[in-house]
Amino acid sequence: MTDTTLTLSLERLPSSATLEPLWRALEGRSDGGFFISWTWVSCWLAGLPPRIQPQLLVARDGDRVMGLAVVVSRLGLRRGCIPVRTACLHETGDPVCDGITIEHNDFLVSRDAPDTLRQQMLAHWLQADRRSEEFRLAYLGRSVARVLPAEPLTTNVTEYGAYHVDLAAIRTAGTDYLGSLKQRSRYLVRKSLKRLGETAPLSLLVAQTVEEARRQFGELKRLHTEYWAARGDKGAFGSLFAEQFHDRLISVGVPRGEVVVLSVCRGEQVLGYFYYFCFGGRVHYYQSGIDYGVVESTDSPGLAAHALAIEHFLGQGHDLYDFMAGDYQYKRTLASGTQTLYWTTLQRASVKLRVESALLQRARQARDWWARRRSTPPPASAGAAAENSP
């Protein structure tokens, strides 16, 4: 679809009962991923505090909805003292609410929409929201910053690699996952599988009910939190918002087959728990909790567990196993490719933001100067120079 007359609007967010059929109908006509599915979006919206007032960005062709997105504009303090109004796509700008970490973010767009619809929706959003000074589009699955309004904007795009295993390619090749790995990676995975399975066979158990998934997730969260607390970090589940969000997500996602919690076992002993989102043939690995009281980190339990899970999802007919953003050695060992995610920030011309940018630049210059000074040895004294002379 290339020629159409579209109407774009930024509207008050309707009730969930009104929005759900619109979103689900468009979802069925789109190639959107799990993080902009109604499952994720509805669970996110249900937990937002009243002080946060989302809006709905809509593109219509007559009465037919062609594009949807939820946006939030919020006034917050930058660097603890600079008030800046930031607008976000499927986020809030509040670190507590955004700690659930959306990835593969996007505008929900119909397959037969014009190729430029995402840019048109972005342009309308910028035009309609004149109060916001900064627009943040976190972890987009594609770049949308190509076509922008004529007004002066500072655009910053940071790219992140998301490692994955191409399950469809393995299936087409007629091999198994281990057979698809390079020699060094295959050796490391087999070594981990052998060491962990010396006393009893390894297996996977998938939670079949919401109650079972909640119980396994509770254990995952405990192990995950203990691991990160020992390193002075809260981990991925360190807020009430995140806890309640994932409880809702499990409640609605497990019956739909879109949320999977599985346990990795050695005989009757559970070694750890893994948490996934499955949608449109893609399997997103979100988090895990490994019991380091029963396994040694030197056994590389993550390699064995992921290898078992990859084989499981390969057998289930999925097309891609996504490790999501983050560069870790285990991902490089296990993956067959990467996808680029784009973190895009657009800023309007603003004295406050220019001051902030200048202060940050000065701070970086001072840091670099101090680092150079510390790394430069002091000049030798005259006496030392004489002693070292031939």
Side-chain angles (χ1 to χ4, degrees):
M1 181 176 182
T2 55
D3 294 321
T4 185
T5 302
L6 292 174
T7 302
L8 294 104
S9 59
L10 185 61
E11 306 171 0
R12 182 177 179 178
L13 188 76
S15 68
S16 178
T18 300
L19 181 58
E20 179 176 3
L22 294 176
W23 199 282
R24 285 198 175 280
L26 182 57
E27 186 179 303
R29 296 186 282 110
S30 79
D31 296 317
F34 179 76
F35 294 91
I36 55 170
S37 70
W38 181 249
T39 299
W40 177 280
V41 170
S42 63
C43 292
W44 169 62
L45 289 174
L48 294 182
R51 58 183 170 79
I52 294 177
Q53 297 293 317
Q55 292 179 288
L56 187 66
L57 182 62
V58 189
R60 296 183 178 90
D61 179 15
D63 294 332
R64 190 167 183 253
V65 175
M66 303 296 291
L68 289 171
V70 178
V71 299
V72 174
S73 178
R74 176 180 175 272
L75 183 65
L77 289 179
R78 296 276 286 272
R79 317 301 166 189
C81 61
I82 304 174
V84 175
R85 180 168 288 278
T86 301
C88 301
L89 176 68
H90 300 131
E91 286 195 308
T92 66
D94 182 335
V96 173
C97 297
D98 297 342
I100 57 176
T101 313
I102 189 172
E103 292 195 21
H104 300 282
N105 198 3
D106 200 356
F107 298 88
L108 185 63
V109 170
S110 177
R111 292 187 196 93
D112 61 347
D115 295 339
T116 59
L117 181 55
R118 288 175 175 83
Q119 283 73 35
Q120 292 179 52
M121 292 177 71
L122 174 58
H124 182 82
W125 179 22
L126 291 164
Q127 183 179 23
D129 182 359
R130 302 306 304 180
R131 297 189 305 163
S132 293
E133 300 156 280
E134 181 176 86
F135 293 79
R136 189 177 79 183
L137 301 88
Y139 291 120
L140 292 169
R142 68 191 77 214
S143 178
V144 297
R146 297 189 302 273
V147 181
L148 297 174
E151 65 175 298
L153 288 166
T154 301
T155 304
N156 180 53
V157 180
T158 304
E159 297 183 2
Y160 296 88
Y163 289 89
H164 65 250
V165 178
D166 190 338
L167 303 180
I170 296 173
R171 190 177 299 113
T172 299
T175 184
D176 59 7
Y177 170 60
L178 286 179
S180 73
L181 290 172
K182 295 180 180 178
Q183 184 176 357
R184 176 62 178 171
S185 296
R186 185 164 57 247
Y187 165 77
L188 292 172
V189 173
R190 282 179 172 166
K191 179 182 176 182
S192 176
L193 288 167
K194 181 179 179 180
R195 294 183 67 173
L196 288 174
E198 281 179 342
T199 58
L202 301 177
S203 63
L204 295 181
L205 292 178
V206 180
Q208 299 297 319
T209 65
V210 170
E211 291 71 24
E212 190 177 351
R214 279 178 168 157
R215 182 189 63 77
Q216 291 189 14
F217 180 76
E219 288 299 298
L220 180 155
K221 185 172 61 176
R222 177 182 65 80
L223 294 168
H224 173 91
T225 303
E226 287 177 359
Y227 176 86
W228 285 106
R231 289 154 179 77
D233 196 296
K234 294 187 296 184
F237 309 110
S239 71
L240 180 61
F241 182 89
E243 287 191 20
Q244 294 176 342
F245 168 80
H246 288 291
D247 186 70
R248 287 189 297 272
L249 201 62
I250 288 170
S251 297
V252 301
V254 168
R256 296 172 185 164
E258 296 174 358
V259 173
V260 173
V261 186
L262 58 81
S263 55
V264 181
C265 303
R266 178 170 55 197
E268 298 296 320
Q269 186 181 50
V270 177
L271 306 183
Y273 302 87
F274 285 68
Y275 185 38
Y276 295 92
F277 307 138
C278 303
F279 193 86
R282 301 173 71 98
V283 179
H284 304 282
Y285 161 61
Y286 188 80
Q287 279 298 346
S288 62
I290 295 175
D291 190 346
Y292 287 102
V294 298
V295 297
E296 298 291 337
S297 60
T298 53
D299 291 337
S300 303
L303 292 183
H306 278 293
L308 293 172
I310 290 167
E311 284 288 3
H312 167 75
F313 288 114
L314 176 64
Q316 292 288 308
H318 296 281
D319 294 329
L320 189 134
Y321 186 96
D322 176 26
F323 288 104
M324 309 225 296
D327 188 6
Y328 294 95
Q329 181 58 51
Y330 80 91
K331 296 182 181 183
R332 294 195 295 271
T333 298
L334 295 167
S336 63
T338 60
Q339 178 183 349
T340 301
L341 299 180
Y342 302 88
W343 185 294
T344 303
T345 303
L346 308 170
Q347 291 183 342
R348 288 197 168 104
S350 163
V351 173
K352 289 183 292 185
L353 294 178
R354 284 200 298 268
V355 169
E356 181 194 31
S357 179
L359 290 175
L360 288 174
Q361 185 176 4
R362 291 287 181 87
R364 284 193 292 267
Q365 290 172 344
R367 181 194 61 201
D368 293 344
W369 175 84
W370 180 247
R372 289 194 301 271
R373 182 178 179 184
R374 292 185 65 184
S375 64
T376 302
S381 64
E387 290 176 4
N388 292 332
S389 299

